[in-house]
Amino acid sequence: MINFTTEQLNLIKSISNPRYSSDMLSLSYLIYVQSPNTYDLLKEVFFLPSVRYLKMLTQPIRNGDVRSYLKKRIENLKEMEKYCIIIGDEVATDKNCEYSNGKYHGLTESGTVATSMMVFMVSSVCGKFRDVVSMTPMHKLNANIINSLFQDVYEILSNIGFIVIGVSMDNLAANRRFYEKHLGGGFLHHSIENFNGNGFPLYPLIDFTHILKNIFNCFQRKYEFHCPSFYPGSHSFCAVFAHIHQIFEFERNKNLKIAHKLKEKLFHLSSIERVSVKHALSVFCESTLTALKFYELQKILISVAQSNS
């Protein structure tokens, strides 16, 4: 809500040439496909992208308007900012279809009801530039569809002048198959030869945000995290989630806290709240690590067996 309000205030200052964030575009399209009439009403109150622009984003990437738009954006970029990665993510939507103004909304190109959107973005690795390239309604996503959409995105970015050196997706099974089958030729590689021969390898990346959330969710559910020794001479260790809770309770009523990012909500998360990365960051941060080390030396932390007895 704070991000939405902040962006609305910024849009007031640049109403003649608005720049919408990827989050705003995704939210706008989700509302639009659910109810175009509702979107029209909201557009009278808030600064939202035009319906024409949303439709442009959801059309095939070969659409000339998208190419023209990105060509104008790249003109203002420095040479180093043209080095980029392609970010792909599937965004879930409600399974719903609405008939309005003689058209059906919420359908895929094949005519089935969309249950998600496949969103592709371009992000500079040497700058702050980031923009949405395409948003495609999906019903069933698989590696072949991802590859087809990726190739279209890669082609247009390369032709415009971007230098694509990586692709980043989450650990979804379809994404892993896309990496293995279509990019790796049957294997998972840390890098492959770039398609356009620009002299740079193409790095298939697993989005670190999703990896961090998965580690946190497993840590919270299993209560223990066993880390093996990866190098000769290193030692394995076991992290205990109960120690995080003990630190929070010990500092609950203190004015000065070491683990100041730990909140009560962290220990009572719903399934939807587990998706937010901010809870994982509150555990895997420097302040929490410092608190663990400090209270261990002070003999404040007790074992799980002692706490249960």
Side-chain angles (χ1 to χ4, degrees):
M1 188 63 185
I2 295 177
N3 293 337
F4 178 83
T5 304
T6 303
E7 183 163 353
Q8 288 294 302
L9 293 174
N10 291 333
L11 286 170
I12 295 176
K13 303 176 184 178
S14 58
I15 188 61
S16 60
N17 187 27
R19 288 280 184 251
Y20 299 100
S21 68
S22 57
D23 291 337
M24 179 68 74
L25 289 172
S26 297
L27 176 62
S28 299
Y29 184 73
L30 288 174
I31 297 174
Y32 175 72
V33 296
Q34 295 304 314
S35 177
N37 292 332
T38 300
Y39 187 77
D40 290 338
L41 292 174
L42 291 174
K43 202 170 184 307
E44 295 178 3
V45 181
F46 300 104
F47 293 100
L48 299 175
S50 66
V51 173
R52 178 177 176 273
Y53 181 61
L54 292 178
K55 288 182 177 180
M56 179 190 74
L57 288 176
T58 58
Q59 288 175 349
I61 192 62
R62 300 177 184 85
N63 185 280
D65 290 338
V66 178
R67 296 175 184 267
S68 300
Y69 169 74
L70 291 176
K71 282 181 179 179
K72 292 180 180 179
R73 293 299 310 274
I74 199 174
E75 289 175 358
N76 300 321
L77 298 181
K78 300 177 181 178
E79 286 301 316
M80 288 299 295
E81 292 179 309
K82 295 178 183 179
Y83 290 87
C84 66
I85 63 172
I86 296 173
I87 301 174
D89 193 15
E90 184 184 18
V91 181
T93 63
D94 289 334
K95 190 175 182 180
N96 190 22
C97 177
E98 181 175 311
Y99 184 78
S100 176
N101 297 327
K103 293 183 179 180
Y104 285 100
H105 300 273
L107 296 178
T108 65
E109 291 184 357
S110 62
T112 56
V113 179
T115 57
S116 65
M117 285 192 304
M118 189 60 200
V119 182
F120 279 98
M121 299 177 57
V122 55
S123 179
S124 173
V125 297
C126 299
K128 297 181 179 180
F129 171 76
R130 175 179 287 196
D131 212 331
V132 176
V133 181
S134 71
M135 295 190 293
T136 309
M138 288 284 123
H139 177 61
K140 288 184 179 180
L141 191 64
N142 58 49
N144 293 332
I145 295 176
I146 295 174
N147 181 59
S148 177
L149 296 174
F150 170 78
Q151 293 295 339
D152 287 340
V153 172
Y154 183 94
E155 178 186 0
I156 190 173
L157 292 177
S158 297
N159 291 340
I160 288 175
F162 285 100
I163 303 173
V164 182
I165 60 174
V167 51
S168 176
M169 293 182 172
D170 61 29
N171 202 31
L172 189 71
N175 295 335
R176 294 199 307 271
R177 285 194 291 270
F178 160 64
Y179 279 174
E180 182 177 347
K181 176 181 177 182
H182 296 281
L183 296 186
F187 299 93
L188 285 173
H189 299 281
H190 61 81
S191 66
I192 62 172
E193 184 178 352
N194 223 312
F195 299 119
N196 60 5
N198 58 19
F200 296 93
L202 183 69
Y203 295 94
L205 308 172
I206 299 296
D207 184 7
F208 178 74
T209 300
H210 291 82
I211 295 176
L212 185 64
K213 287 191 293 186
N214 288 339
I215 293 175
F216 167 72
N217 289 330
C218 289
F219 185 30
Q220 190 187 42
R221 284 196 300 265
K222 301 294 185 181
Y223 299 106
E224 291 185 357
F225 179 76
H226 295 270
C227 183
S229 57
F230 291 99
Y231 304 100
S234 63
H235 301 284
S236 60
F237 67 90
C238 176
V240 181
F241 192 77
H243 288 162
I244 306 293
H245 200 180
Q246 288 173 25
I247 291 174
F248 171 76
E249 292 294 342
F250 184 76
E251 295 187 334
R252 179 191 286 272
N253 299 318
K254 292 183 179 295
N255 293 326
L256 184 61
K257 301 178 181 181
I258 302 177
H260 58 90
K261 292 189 177 182
L262 298 181
K263 307 297 180 185
E264 175 76 30
K265 191 67 177 176
L266 175 67
F267 308 100
H268 309 283
L269 297 178
S270 64
S271 340
I272 298 298
E273 290 169 332
R274 293 176 189 273
V275 178
S276 175
V277 72
K278 68 179 182 181
H279 301 298
L281 291 175
S282 68
V283 172
F284 303 118
C285 67
E286 291 295 331
S287 59
T288 305
L289 177 60
T290 301
L292 285 168
K293 291 179 177 179
F294 176 77
Y295 289 122
E296 181 184 21
L297 293 175
Q298 299 298 318
K299 308 298 181 181
I300 299 296
L301 301 180
I302 59 177
S303 67
V304 177
Q306 288 177 315
S307 63
N308 292 335
S309 58

